[in-house]
Structures are given as C-alpha cells and as structure tokens.
C-alpha cells in the first residue's frame, strides 16, 4: 500500500511531489478513497446479510406457517436474551484499550487483544454449557415442552457459537482492515444461507436450527483466525510476560457491556414478550413488519463502524469541532437517505410483502412503512451507537438505552392488553414505536451537546496518529505518517 505512486511521498520520507500534487492533498484524497472503500465493503456485506436473512425467514414462514415459525423465532429470542445476561462483550473495550496498550511498545496491543479474546471465548463457552443445562432442567421440571426443548437447545448452541464474533470484528477495526471483513462476511453469509435453507427443506425446523449452529461456528472460527493475523501484522508479535490490564478497563467493560446488552435486548426482549403474552403469530407479524427497517439499518450501520475510531481520536485530543463536524455530516447524510427510503417504501412495500411472504401478510404492510420511518429516524442519530463510548462515557448510553428499552417493553405490554388480533397489535406497536423514536432522536442531540460542551483544544493536531510511541503501524506507514500522526507536509515544515 506504500510507495511513491500511491502516497506521493518518496521512500526517504522527504515528502517530495511526484505529479504536481502536494503530498498533503494526495494523502487526504487517498484517505477519503479508503473511507469510501470501507463503507462500500461493509454496506454491501450488510445488505447481502440482510437480504439473505430476509429470504431465509420468508422461506421459513411460507413452509411452516406463522405459528410454527413464531416458535422458532421465539426460541432464538430466548437464547439471545440468555446471552445478553452472560456475554461480557469485550469488543468496545478492545477498540479503546488495545491502541492505548500498544503505546507502551510493539506487541503490547497484540498481547492484550489475545487475552481479551480468550476471556470472551471462555465466557461464551461457560454461558453455553450453563444455558443448555438450564434448558434441560426446565424441561425435566415440566416448565417447557419437549418440542420447545428440541428447538431451544440448538438455538442456545448457535448463540454460543457466535459469541466471540464481536471480538473478531474488533480485531479488524484495530488493524484498520474493516474493508476486508466485509468480503469475509459476504462469503460467510452466502455459505450460511445455503446450508440453513438446505437443512430447512430437508430436515424441518430442528434441522434448520442445527444448521445455524454449524454455520455460526464456522463463521466465528474464520473471522477469529483472520482477525488475530491482522492484529499481529498491525501491532507486531505479542510480547512475553503476564498481561496487566490497563487502568480503567474493568469499569469501562462493565458499562460498555451492559450498554450493548441493553441495546440488543430491546429487540430480543420485544420478541420474547410478544411470544409469551401475544403468541407465536404476533412474533412472526412483528418480524415481517420490521424487515424493511432492518434492511435500511444494515445499510447505514457501517457508518457507525467507521465513525468510532475517528471520534475516539478526536475525543482523545479534545477536538470538539472535529467531533461535531463528523456527527452533523453523518446526520445529514443518513437523514437524506432515510427520506428517500421511506418514500420508496411507501410505494412498494405492500407489493414486496405480498411477493416475499404471501398475500396473507399484506395486512402488515402499513405497519412495515411506519417501522421503516422509525428506522430512518433512528438512522439520523446512528452516531449515538459509538459517540458515548468513543468519548469515554459509555454509562450515558447505558442509561439512555435502558430508559428506551423499558418504554418499549411497557408499550408492547399495553398494546397486547388493549388491542385484539396480531395485525392490530402490530400496527399499534409500530405507531407507538415511531413516537418513542421521535423523542429519542431529539434527546440524542441534547446528549451530543452535553458530551461535547467541555471539549476544547485549538492547538490539537488535525489528524492524530494511531500510536504515540513505538514503531509506526501499518496504517501510519501506508499514509506516510510519523509517530505524532503528522502528514508529510507537516513533517517537512519542522
């Protein structure tokens, strides 16, 4: 990636021009090319994953009907909730503390990353074993039927197999190789879809869930192996000796883990409550209505992945203007995309629902449009996923999301009690969710002002580097930067 033709910087680091363009301009142009490449890679992977998941769910619903499909979705939600309680979720802590540890010297970051990855895998294995034991004990005591047990056990195993995938994804971000994970995810998504659909068609719902265990395990192993290799290349070989946990890691881990769990619980918890109080059919209706919103969210989620390292670097140097610029540009971009998506969805969703799920589900097309509007509204604050953690305040998002999740679950319970019929409940839930997300979006802009009001450092560098000391990383070498993060033109002026 380095060299005169790609960076405009001579190998001796003099920063001499090679084609009449200043090195700083060429560096900036290359940087934005990298951002665009990463965004496209992650977006394509996310869209393919969402489309294949949609196709799998549609096939499931068409083959077995709304009730049996709802049972499958309910058991998957139960497994997800179980791991929300026990999975420590190290990915945010890895992205924050591994670069800090690397400042101590080559290989320190690799050593910390591997230790946190090992802890993540151990926690996932323990939670899986205990989860299977709890399911068997519940069946022995008559709390769940044998049919539900046959679905619940593979669902728990599948969720456990996917536990370390978050740490693997964090490794790609640490190594500045997010564009590569998009290609890997794309291949794994196609493989997973083919295996699960084949199992569904030949072995029914139990075979479908067993197939998710196999594909989840294969995906986790593939991502983890490549992520460890990329971290090794970026940070160097792991140093010898015991791993000392950086100061503040445990409090940060507790808050960030709880925040991620609450964020995911708002989705799994809704399916769980809907299945227990409203029946499996309501779970299927909610899944169908939320499909369009999920596809839209998968399209813009890569923006948050790319924002995290930028906001973390700007926050570490007190660069309030840089944080505000990135956040507001992000809101403008995703807001415009959301408006287009809602306009197109209002015209086409009724037809698409009929074609994909069948004519009996056309009744939820209005709810699907409303939930798409809610997803578009949430997309305008997509930066809220990473801003608090990037600035070192994960507890803010934890409090915020906890209140939002409680409101969602309370609203769902009220809707189930007041409305009759799965379609009526789905529509009422969609409108209530849109109102809640409107309040949430406005509140996040208030949170943005609160978190950035004390940031000010006009003398901070315009683009800080990854490491403060030690040998330059692959990212710094590729962009012709020194340990202080200065581009070639700034080094020339020293």
């Amino acid at each position: 990636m380095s060299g005169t033709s790609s960076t405009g910087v001579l190998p001796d680091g003099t920063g001499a021009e090679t084609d009449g363009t200043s090195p700083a301009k060429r560096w900036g142009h290359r940087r934005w090319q990298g951002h665009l490449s990463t965004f496209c890679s992650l977006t394509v992977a996310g869209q393919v994953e969402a489309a294949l998941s949609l196709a799998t769910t549609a096939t499931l619903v068409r083959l077995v009907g709304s009730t049996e499909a709802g049972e499958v979705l309910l058991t998957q939600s139960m497994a997800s909730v179980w791991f929300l309680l026990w999975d420590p979720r190290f990915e945010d802590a890895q992205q924050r503390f591994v670069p800090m540890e690397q400042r101590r010297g080559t290989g320190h970051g690799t050593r910390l990353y591997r230790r946190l990855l090992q802890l993540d895998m151990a926690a996932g294995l323990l939670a899986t074993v205990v989860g299977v034991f709890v399911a068997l004990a519940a069946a022995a005591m008559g709390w769940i039927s044998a049919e539900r047990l046959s679905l619940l056990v593979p669902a728990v195993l599948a969720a456990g197999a996917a536990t370390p995938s978050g740490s693997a994804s964090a490794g790609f971000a640490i190594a500045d190789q997010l564009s590569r994970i998009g290609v890997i995810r794309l291949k794994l998504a196609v493989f997973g879809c083919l295996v699960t659909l084949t199992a569904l068609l030949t072995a029914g719902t139990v075979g479908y869930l067993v197939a998710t265990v196999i594909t989840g395990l294969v995906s986790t192993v593939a991502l983890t192996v490549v992520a460890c290799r990329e971290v090794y290349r970026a940070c160097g070989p792991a140093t010898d000796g015991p791993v000392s946990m950086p100061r503040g890691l445990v409090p940060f881990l507790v808050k960030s883990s709880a925040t991620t769990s609450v964020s995911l619980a708002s989705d799994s918890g809704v399916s769980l409550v809907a299945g227990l109080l409203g029946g499996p059919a309501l779970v299927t209706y909610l899944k169908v209505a939320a499909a369009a919103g999920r596809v839209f969210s998968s399209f813009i989620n890569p923006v948050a992945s790319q924002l995290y390292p930028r906001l973390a670097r700007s926050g570490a140097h007190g660069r309030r203007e840089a944080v505000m610029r990135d956040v507001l540009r992000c809101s403008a971009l995703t807001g415009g995309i959301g408006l287009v998506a809602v306009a197109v969805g209002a015209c086409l969703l009724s037809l698409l629902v009929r074609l994909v799920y069948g004519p009996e589900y056309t009744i939820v097309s209005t709810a699907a449009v409303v939930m798409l509007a809610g997803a578009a509204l949430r997309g305008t604050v997509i930066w809220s996923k990473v801003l608090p953690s990037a600035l070192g305040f994960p507890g803010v998002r934890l409090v915020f999301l906890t209140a939002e999740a409680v409101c969602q679950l309370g609203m769902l319970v009220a809707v189930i009690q007041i409305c009759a019929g799965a379609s009526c409940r789905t529509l009422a839930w969609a409108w209530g969710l849109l109102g809640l997300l409107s309040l949430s979006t406005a509140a996040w802009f208030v949170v943005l002002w609160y978190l950035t009001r004390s940031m000010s450092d006009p003398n901070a560098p315009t683009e800080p580097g990854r490491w403060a000391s030690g040998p330059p990383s692959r990212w710094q070498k590729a962009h012709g930067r020194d340990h202080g993060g200065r581009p070639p033109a700034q080094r020339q002026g020293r």
Side-chain angles (χ1 to χ4, degrees):
M1 293 175 62
S2 61
T4 301
S5 62
S6 60
T7 63
V9 183
L10 293 178
D12 60 1
T14 59
E17 299 180 20
T18 60
D19 59 355
T21 305
S22 68
K25 288 183 178 180
R26 290 179 59 84
W27 170 80
H29 178 68
R30 182 175 178 82
R31 181 188 61 176
W32 283 108
Q33 279 185 330
H35 290 328
L36 181 60
S37 174
T38 299
F39 176 78
C40 292
S41 175
L42 294 178
T43 299
V44 170
Q47 290 298 99
V48 171
E49 287 176 335
L52 294 179
S53 175
L54 179 65
T56 304
T57 303
T59 304
L60 175 66
V61 172
R62 281 181 171 272
L63 287 178
V64 303
S66 60
T67 301
E68 190 172 352
E71 282 287 343
V72 174
L73 299 174
L74 177 59
T75 54
Q76 289 180 322
S77 297
M78 294 171 68
S80 297
V81 170
W82 172 260
F83 280 91
L84 288 176
L85 298 175
W86 300 107
D87 184 5
R89 304 187 184 280
F90 287 93
E91 50 265 31
D92 285 344
Q94 287 170 324
Q95 292 191 60
R96 180 171 178 82
F97 287 95
V98 168
M100 295 172 61
E101 186 70 8
Q102 182 69 8
R103 293 173 183 170
R104 298 175 55 190
T106 301
H108 285 75
T110 305
R111 183 176 62 174
L112 178 61
Y113 174 77
R114 290 182 178 178
R115 174 53 59 90
L116 294 178
L117 176 62
Q118 292 168 358
L119 293 175
D120 197 8
M121 295 173 66
L125 178 61
L126 178 61
T128 302
V129 173
V130 175
V132 172
F133 176 79
V134 170
L136 295 174
M141 289 184 288
W143 293 354
I144 60 176
S145 64
E147 293 182 357
R148 179 166 291 182
L149 177 66
S150 65
L151 299 176
L152 184 58
V153 170
V156 171
L157 293 175
T163 297
S165 60
S167 292
S169 299
F172 285 92
I174 293 168
D176 199 25
Q177 292 294 309
L178 283 174
S179 59
R180 188 175 182 189
I181 193 178
V183 178
I184 299 174
R185 283 171 47 191
L186 181 62
K187 296 177 181 178
L188 292 174
V190 175
F191 166 76
C193 180
L194 293 176
V195 173
T196 52
L197 284 180
T198 301
L200 177 62
L201 294 173
T202 58
T205 55
V206 176
Y208 165 78
L209 290 174
V210 172
T212 61
V213 179
I214 299 173
T215 56
L217 187 60
V218 171
S219 298
T220 299
V221 171
L223 288 173
T224 302
V225 170
V226 180
C228 290
R229 186 189 309 148
E230 293 298 332
V231 172
Y232 176 89
R233 291 176 177 174
C235 302
T239 56
D240 298 327
V243 180
S244 59
M245 294 299 177
R247 183 179 180 182
L249 185 146
V250 175
F252 182 91
L253 177 62
V254 172
K255 294 178 182 178
S256 63
S257 175
T259 300
T260 305
S261 297
V262 171
S263 176
L264 296 175
S266 62
D267 181 41
S268 300
V270 164
S271 297
L272 182 61
V273 172
L276 295 178
L277 300 183
L282 179 59
V283 179
T284 304
Y285 273 61
L286 290 176
K287 193 79 171 182
V288 173
R294 292 178 187 277
V295 172
F296 175 80
S297 297
S298 70
F299 178 79
I300 63 172
N301 275 338
V303 176
S305 300
Q306 291 184 266
L307 272 180
Y308 189 94
R310 292 175 59 86
L311 295 178
R313 289 195 294 267
S314 299
H317 289 77
R319 298 172 59 228
R320 182 179 186 273
E321 291 184 359
V323 172
M324 294 296 294
R325 180 183 66 246
D326 286 341
V327 166
L328 295 180
R329 284 179 178 176
C330 173
S331 292
L333 174 64
T334 55
I337 296 174
L339 286 175
V340 174
V342 173
V344 174
C347 300
L348 299 179
L349 268 181
S350 178
L351 175 62
L352 291 177
V353 169
R354 176 187 295 272
L355 292 176
V356 174
Y357 294 98
E360 63 270 25
Y361 293 98
T362 308
I363 193 172
V364 302
S365 58
T366 302
V369 174
V370 177
M371 295 184 74
L372 174 60
L377 196 59
R378 186 189 289 275
T380 60
V381 290
I382 189 68
W383 43 263
S384 65
K385 291 186 174 183
V386 296
L387 178 69
S389 294
L391 299 185
F393 300 99
V396 172
R397 188 165 185 254
L398 173 60
V399 173
F400 199 95
L401 291 182
T402 300
E404 185 177 308
V406 170
C407 291
Q408 285 190 25
L409 295 178
M411 182 175 63
L412 178 60
V413 172
V415 165
I416 293 175
Q417 297 298 322
I418 295 174
C419 301
S423 60
C424 179
R425 290 168 175 172
T426 302
L427 183 59
W429 159 256
W431 281 110
L433 182 63
L434 179 60
L436 180 62
L437 292 178
S438 300
L439 297 176
S440 174
T441 301
W444 268 118
F445 281 102
V446 176
V447 172
L448 171 64
W449 170 82
Y450 174 80
L451 292 180
T452 60
R453 62 178 180 174
S454 60
M455 296 175 58
S456 61
D457 187 3
N459 297 321
T462 56
E463 185 70 24
R466 184 182 296 275
W467 318 124
S469 63
S473 67
R474 180 173 55 190
W475 183 88
Q476 290 171 320
K477 291 179 180 178
H479 294 80
R481 316 191 97 207
D482 65 2
H483 299 305
R486 289 177 290 272
Q490 293 185 18
R491 289 205 308 270
Q492 182 77 1
R494 287 185 61 182

